[in-house]
Amino acid sequence: NIQIDNEVHVDASTNLNEIVFVDGVTYYFSEGVYHPTANEQLNIRANHITLIGAGANKTILDTQEFTCADQAGILFGGNNVTIKNLTIKTTSTNANVSAVKFSAIDHAEEIVTNGCLENVSIIASMGHGINLHGVKDFTLKNIEISGYHKCAISLAKAQNIHLTSIKTTETSQGWGDIGIMYKSEEGVAYNAPSTIFIEGNNNFAKNSIYSERQITATGGLDQVNGKEGTQAGEFYIWVLE
């Protein structure tokens, strides 16, 4: 690795566990495939960091079977995190594992803010593709998500989320494009509704969003583009045009 001021340039001979993520640094990844070597190595809590690859089909962060907190291949818990021009991949057989998750998982009262994913490919496995739980002010732009057995994008207590140019590839086991989760028994972790804005040109495999949140929940129902969903049994549904 080469560090110049607040920039670190990483080449493909580097294992992901060799990178120390610290506040205020931009990490440039050259073309290649990068791996961790054990669990918990990509539980990243640094703030104001940026990860930039050489292209979504050129730079691949492949977490293989390794996970963080049994919830994600890569787990971000800091504010102001930007990820651009790379692929994040997991092959974990644990259905609770998303390819990437943003959440302060040990501190449900904390909100992770100001995240951005742009020009990113997500290759999931048994769980979700992207998981945003307890976050605010996030932008996902030009994202392709495949391989998921649950949702392409899972949300909970996720406020002011802007989705633009999202492509999801349907799998036979997939739950849906976007699912908004809710568990009444987990209190503060789900004590606010999600607000989502669908913008630009998207290509959703199922053309729908569903929410598990009930009208009796603290703060009321989730909203997409300022509207509550249509009730369908236990869920609320939005059809995407």
Side-chain angles (χ1 to χ4, degrees):
N1 302 340
I2 300 174
Q3 181 160 359
I4 304 172
D5 296 326
N6 290 327
E7 296 182 358
V8 172
H9 295 259
V10 185
D11 64 43
S13 65
T14 305
N15 288 326
L16 290 173
N17 62 292
E18 299 175 60
I19 304 170
V20 179
F21 292 94
V22 296
D23 292 358
V25 174
T26 297
Y27 298 84
Y28 291 93
F29 292 81
S30 63
E31 182 173 351
V33 181
Y34 299 79
H35 304 287
T37 58
N39 292 331
E40 306 303 330
Q41 292 177 345
L42 296 176
N43 191 338
I44 301 168
R45 302 303 177 98
N47 299 292
H48 297 278
I49 63 171
T50 300
L51 283 64
I52 302 178
N57 61 341
K58 295 181 179 180
T59 299
I60 302 172
L61 309 186
D62 184 356
T63 62
Q64 300 173 311
E65 287 276 348
F66 299 117
T67 67
C68 299
D70 285 329
Q71 295 192 33
I74 306 179
L75 177 62
F76 291 95
N79 300 319
N80 296 285
V81 173
T82 296
I83 303 171
K84 292 184 175 182
N85 306 334
L86 52 76
T87 290
I88 297 174
K89 178 181 180 180
T90 178
T91 53
S92 172
T93 56
N94 183 341
N96 293 322
V97 172
S98 304
V100 60
K101 182 171 184 175
F102 288 79
S103 182
I105 58 169
D106 298 327
H107 305 279
E109 72 283 358
E110 295 183 8
I111 301 296
V112 175
T113 62
N114 296 310
C116 177
L117 283 76
E118 185 173 354
N119 302 327
V120 171
S121 177
I122 302 293
I123 303 174
S125 184
M126 302 304 293
H128 303 300
I130 299 171
N131 191 328
L132 306 179
H133 190 160
V135 304
K136 184 178 181 181
D137 300 332
F138 268 62
T139 298
L140 277 60
K141 183 177 181 180
N142 195 22
I143 309 296
E144 183 169 350
I145 310 168
S146 63
Y148 51 92
H149 276 52
K150 289 186 174 180
C151 294
I153 302 173
S154 172
L155 304 164
K157 196 178 177 180
Q159 300 175 313
N160 195 32
I161 310 302
H162 292 258
L163 307 178
T164 303
S165 298
I166 308 297
K167 179 181 179 181
T168 63
T169 301
E170 186 172 5
T171 61
S172 58
Q173 294 86 6
W175 293 358
D177 299 308
I178 301 171
I180 312 174
M181 308 303 161
Y182 178 67
K183 295 181 180 180
S184 59
E185 69 274 14
E186 295 198 15
V188 67
Y190 293 86
N191 68 354
S194 296
T195 53
I196 307 166
F197 299 91
I198 309 294
E199 302 160 336
N201 297 317
N202 299 282
N203 186 358
F204 292 112
K206 292 185 180 294
N207 290 316
S208 65
I209 300 174
Y210 76 90
S211 168
E212 298 176 350
R213 192 177 189 85
Q214 299 300 303
I215 196 168
T216 55
T218 301
L221 296 171
D222 299 311
Q223 294 194 356
V224 176
N225 293 341
K227 297 179 180 179
E228 296 176 353
T230 300
Q231 190 168 8
E234 297 180 355
F235 301 113
Y236 286 82
I237 304 293
W238 295 262
V239 176
L240 303 172
E241 298 178 356

